[in-house]
Structures are given as C-alpha cells and as structure tokens.
Amino acid sequence: MTRDRAGRFFLAVLVEEAIAPLPDAFLPGGREPRAMGLDLGLAALVTTDGGEKLPHPRLLRKYEKKLSSLQRSPHRKRKASKNPGKARERIARLYAAISDVRRDLLDQFTTRLVRENQVLVVEDLPIAHLMRRAKDTGRRRKAALSRSLADAAWGELVRLLRYKCAWYGRTLVIVDRFFPSTRRCSACHTKGPRLDVSVREWSCAACGAAHDRDTNAAVNLRDEGMRLYRAVVAAMPPGRLPPNVIRAMEWAKIVPAA
Ligand SMILES: [Zn+2]
C-alpha cells in the first residue's frame, strides 16, 4: 500500500497478462499502414488529422479554475494563515484529481487510436511552450497554469501511446519540434507566416485552401511522420519489424529534415 502527495492510499495489484499484438491496421486493398496525426493544443486537448477534436473535459476546467484560485491564496494569505500545509494539501489533491480525469480520458482515447491505426504521429514538445512559460508572472499566472496542464496532457498522451504501441505492435513517430506543422499548408506545403495563437482558421495565400488551424497541423504531422516511417523501414534489414518508436532526431542521418 502506498500513499500519494494528496494523502490518498493505493493498493497495487499485479496481474500477469499476455498481451498479443493486434492484427495490422492497413488501408483496404494494400500494405499501406493506416496512419493518424495528432495535434495537441490549448483550444482542444487533441485534434486528429480527420478533424476530430477531443475537448478539454468540463470537469477539468472546473478543477483548473479552483486550482488557479488556490494557488494564489497561499501567497496572499501567508501572514494570516495559521495552516499553510492545509492549502498545500488541497492543491495536491486537486492536482491528483486533475491527473486522474485526464488519464482516464486519454486512456480510452489512445486505446481506440492504437486499435484503428498502424502508425501514430505526434510532435515533440514544442519549445515555444517552455520558453513562454519562463516569462509568465503575476496576472499571466492563469495562462501559464493552463499551458503547464496542457504540457502535462501532452506528456501523458505520449506516455500512453508509447507503451500501447509497444504492446500492440504499432509505431509511434515523434516529429521534430522545429517542423513547422502549424504554418505549413497541408495541401500545397507552402510555409506561411507565423500564426498568432488566436487565429483558429486561415486560408493559404499560395493555393487558397481553407484550414482549421489544428486539423491542418495534424495532417502535416501525419504526412511528415509517414515520410519518416517509410525512410526508416526502407533503411532496416529485410524481415525486421518497424520499431515501436521512431524519434525524428535519432534518425536525422537517414531522414534529412523536411
Ligand atoms: Zn496551400
């Protein structure tokens, strides 16, 4: 039995279970693997290349609001409070509740994705998130909090996809963080100007294609991921199964950047 930071007790039960790989998920009539690109964001938790959006759960929003107000209170009431430990424990409890809700949601979602697809493609943690977070202070604390929770969701998504791909004989492709997934037009591959975070929809100046920001990014990630996947499979000795994880930066010698 273990106890976490939120003061909850856990009983661990180990179950030995043989996990068989799922049958391959190929497109009808060929050996072309079914692939899906996933964009992780603040507007929707996850957007697929088909335009499906996994929203941030309403329960999570409620918890985040509460967490945001709790995180302010220990500082503001430092002198008055006789029991700062209580506030810390309530914050820890909220963090635990948020991560439980998020994990359940992502667990179901990733199981479905891994069943239906042979190759899943995500982006390496965008460095812009980390850089922006360092500058956040004061009244921007709330925005910083929602970004840090989104980063936590990204970490959870990748963790789940990693082990499920290994269990079921699938491949997770992690595209380089410098790949311009948002700015590139998925129809003609022209790289447009940088888009402000408030821009949800845009049209390509070169070909006129209309894009949903996140769906376009997910399509670009899928295409780039498949380019990597094909190059890595072609470079492998015949008869070998594709790796369960392909991280772009580890294959830079074989697959030059787009
Ligand atoms: Zn275009």
Side-chain angles (χ1 to χ4, degrees):
M1 194 126 74
T2 55
R3 194 170 183 224
D4 71 5
R5 283 192 311 147
R8 303 176 307 174
F9 289 96
F10 288 90
L11 185 65
V13 181
L14 287 174
V15 181
E16 204 170 297
E17 194 183 353
I19 297 158
L22 288 166
D24 290 334
F26 290 123
L27 291 170
R31 301 290 296 162
E32 183 69 6
R34 205 181 273 279
M36 182 170 272
L38 303 167
D39 180 71
L40 197 92
L42 296 174
L45 197 56
V46 186
T47 302
T48 72
D49 61 59
E52 184 190 353
K53 288 173 191 280
L54 182 70
H56 289 272
R58 206 176 297 166
L59 186 61
L60 220 52
R61 286 261 189 244
K62 201 180 81 182
Y63 285 161
E64 287 175 14
K65 226 170 156 183
K66 218 167 165 187
L67 182 59
S68 169
S69 79
L70 265 179
Q71 283 191 326
R72 278 194 306 271
S73 64
H75 305 284
R76 205 187 284 158
K77 296 176 188 163
R78 188 168 286 153
K79 275 177 196 158
S81 176
K82 289 197 177 77
N83 202 343
K86 262 255 155 56
R88 266 202 296 276
E89 196 180 302
R90 284 179 69 195
I91 289 172
R93 267 183 202 282
L94 261 173
Y95 262 115
I98 288 171
S99 90
D100 284 354
V101 172
R102 192 177 50 218
R103 188 167 44 238
D104 283 352
L105 185 85
L106 289 173
D107 195 27
Q108 293 171 25
F109 187 63
T110 51
T111 293
R112 175 158 66 83
L113 296 182
V114 167
R115 281 187 178 284
E116 292 171 358
N117 298 281
Q118 190 65 30
V119 179
L120 282 309
V121 187
V122 295
E123 188 178 16
D124 221 335
L125 182 64
I127 199 144
H129 280 218
L130 303 171
M131 278 159 50
R132 245 185 271 128
R133 208 190 314 166
K135 280 186 267 169
D136 287 321
T137 50
R139 65 195 177 86
R140 296 184 66 194
R141 200 196 299 275
K142 206 177 157 195
L145 174 67
S146 72
R147 262 199 294 278
S148 82
L149 292 168
D151 290 349
W154 179 90
E156 185 70 18
L157 179 85
V158 173
R159 190 183 69 81
L160 291 168
L161 286 176
R162 240 178 207 277
Y163 80 72
K164 286 178 189 182
C165 282
W167 277 1
Y168 297 115
R170 303 306 202 217
T171 298
L172 174 67
V173 183
I174 303 173
V175 169
D176 192 277
R177 65 184 56 151
F178 297 111
F179 174 71
S181 59
T182 302
R183 296 166 65 179
R184 191 174 91 158
C185 168
S186 57
C188 73
H189 293 187
T190 299
K191 198 167 124 187
R194 188 172 265 291
L195 294 176
D196 187 81
V197 279
S198 63
V199 178
R200 307 310 314 164
E201 284 163 6
W202 59 283
S203 294
C204 173
C207 78
H211 295 301
D212 169 271
R213 180 201 184 97
D214 299 335
T215 308
N216 176 67
V219 173
N220 278 327
L221 287 170
R222 181 199 63 202
D223 293 350
E224 173 65 3
M226 280 310 290
R227 188 179 75 90
L228 278 156
Y229 177 85
R230 287 197 193 94
V232 168
V233 168
M236 283 173 47
R240 280 269 301 278
L241 287 171
N244 294 123
V245 179
I246 297 173
R247 195 180 205 118
M249 56 183 296
E250 288 160 14
W251 293 87
K253 276 192 190 130
I254 290 168
V255 196

